[in-house]
Amino acid sequence: MRRVYGDVVAVDSLDLEVASGEIYGFLGPNGAGKSTAVRMLCTLASMTAGSATVAGYDVSTQSDQVRLSIGVALQEAALDGKLTGRETLMLQGRYYGLERHAIAARVEELAPLLEMGAIDRRVSTYSGGMKRRLDLAAALMHNPEVLFLDEPTTGLDPISRALVWEQIRNLNRDLGMTIFLTTQYLEEADALTSRVGILNEGRLAAEGAPEELKRTVGSDVVVARVTGDTEAAAAAIGEVRGISHVEVYGNEVSAATGDGASVVSPVAVALAAAGVEVTDLSIHPTTLDDVFLELTGARIEVEE
């Protein structure tokens, strides 16, 4: 798939395959092309070039069949503030041609996604997090075969985020629903997805199971915050035995290694010998952010 807006290439030669029943994560910073890719797969934006099928239907020539087979919760929830949560869900059910008794039963099944009593309040009284949860419930009214979630927990409090995570797991485990999830949250991709695609500037930089991708970097990362010459710090750390890769980001120097505990002291000695002033030296297990840093030289920065 490819999508171009004027001189800007939003999605460039994106080629991926998601298995039925899989939770697939799209991970990347703002502007990477995640939302544009989702909009094309949901028939909300046309492709400049290429083709795609969703639930067995061509998104360009069989858009009606695609829309009947998918549920979509985008970043901006399109909700009518004058309706209650219950009315919103009932209206969504009618759009998909569900019978009245089926709509009522489905509303009760989805009500736990909302706070106690909120389902009969007007949407205009909802918080931002409540609106996102209602939008997710609406996307599930017709039990779609494929569910697209575009950063579904951005802006949610920890309790609401945990509730959405639980619902996503239940949908996948109990119904075998295929879920395509975009996120900036590293822990979200780690916790939910079976495979993740790391997107950068419209291109797929890497793809695989989260643990598999992290193993390509190393089991640990030593991070040194320094003042002064970061390149000198990187050169000094790179000479330490057991260090496999070094990256500089701002005033931080990150070094991948198979055993952080055994190299942290030699790293400190090497930095001192190089005359580099260190403000902080720490070890942490490899994260998907470290994978992204190695691939792109940048970090995935989440706007809280």
Side-chain angles (χ1 to χ4, degrees):
M1 295 189 302
R2 179 179 171 87
R3 175 68 190 191
V4 178
Y5 296 97
D7 295 330
V8 178
V9 180
V11 175
D12 190 9
S13 303
L14 182 61
D15 185 9
L16 56 87
E17 182 175 350
V18 179
S20 177
E22 181 177 16
I23 301 180
Y24 184 90
F26 238 13
L27 183 66
N30 282 336
K34 304 187 302 297
S35 295
T36 300
V38 167
R39 292 182 65 84
M40 287 192 290
L41 292 171
C42 295
T43 76
L44 296 175
S46 60
M47 286 175 279
T48 304
S51 62
T53 60
V54 175
Y57 300 108
D58 188 286
V59 298
S60 298
T61 62
Q62 298 173 296
S63 58
D64 288 346
Q65 292 94 323
V66 170
R67 291 171 185 171
L68 288 171
S69 303
I70 66 174
V72 183
L74 300 178
Q75 289 185 44
E76 297 297 328
L79 301 170
D80 187 340
K82 295 180 181 179
L83 299 178
T84 66
R86 186 183 302 276
E87 289 168 342
T88 299
L89 296 180
M90 292 176 66
L91 183 61
Q92 185 78 355
R94 293 193 189 105
Y95 285 152
Y96 281 96
L98 301 182
E99 298 290 339
R100 185 178 298 273
H101 69 277
I103 291 175
R106 192 70 180 129
V107 169
E108 294 307 314
E109 290 174 5
L110 295 170
L113 267 175
L114 306 176
E115 292 174 2
M116 187 69 69
I119 195 166
D120 290 311
R121 289 185 0 228
R122 290 184 184 272
V123 173
S124 59
T125 68
Y126 285 14
S127 66
M130 284 288 297
K131 290 178 180 177
R132 293 191 70 83
R133 285 155 62 182
L134 176 61
D135 195 41
L136 172 58
L140 296 171
M141 273 299 294
H142 61 300
N143 274 323
E145 183 178 342
V146 182
L147 177 63
F148 287 93
L149 301 175
D150 192 11
E151 300 191 11
T153 63
T154 297
L156 296 190
D157 60 84
I159 294 175
S160 296
R161 185 175 297 175
L163 183 62
V164 171
W165 284 12
E166 181 182 5
Q167 185 66 29
I168 290 172
R169 292 190 188 100
N170 291 342
L171 290 167
N172 180 254
R173 181 187 64 244
D174 300 340
L175 302 178
M177 188 177 293
T178 305
I179 298 173
F180 192 100
L181 169 77
T182 78
T183 183
Q184 299 180 76
Y185 293 113
L186 306 171
E187 72 276 16
E188 188 159 87
D190 252 338
L192 295 176
T193 64
S194 53
R195 282 193 308 137
V196 65
I198 297 180
L199 204 63
N200 184 53
E201 296 182 350
R203 285 183 171 271
L204 199 61
E207 184 181 48
E211 290 304 318
E212 174 187 310
L213 290 174
K214 287 185 284 186
R215 281 196 297 270
T216 65
V217 175
S219 59
D220 292 320
V221 173
V222 177
V223 180
R225 286 193 178 92
V226 304
T227 58
D229 191 348
T230 53
E231 294 301 328
I237 293 174
E239 295 298 320
V240 174
R241 183 185 298 273
I243 295 295
S244 59
H245 189 78
V246 180
E247 286 284 352
V248 175
Y249 180 74
N251 68 335
E252 290 186 356
V253 181
S254 297
T257 177
D259 185 359
S262 68
V263 302
V264 67
S265 292
V267 164
V269 171
L271 290 171
V276 177
E277 183 178 347
V278 180
T279 59
D280 184 71
L281 187 62
S282 60
I283 311 169
H284 65 77
T286 305
T287 67
L288 289 171
D289 197 26
D290 298 315
V291 177
F292 189 78
L293 177 64
E294 180 167 347
L295 291 169
T296 70
R299 289 199 179 276
I300 299 172
E301 298 178 349
V302 179
E303 294 181 2
E304 292 290 354

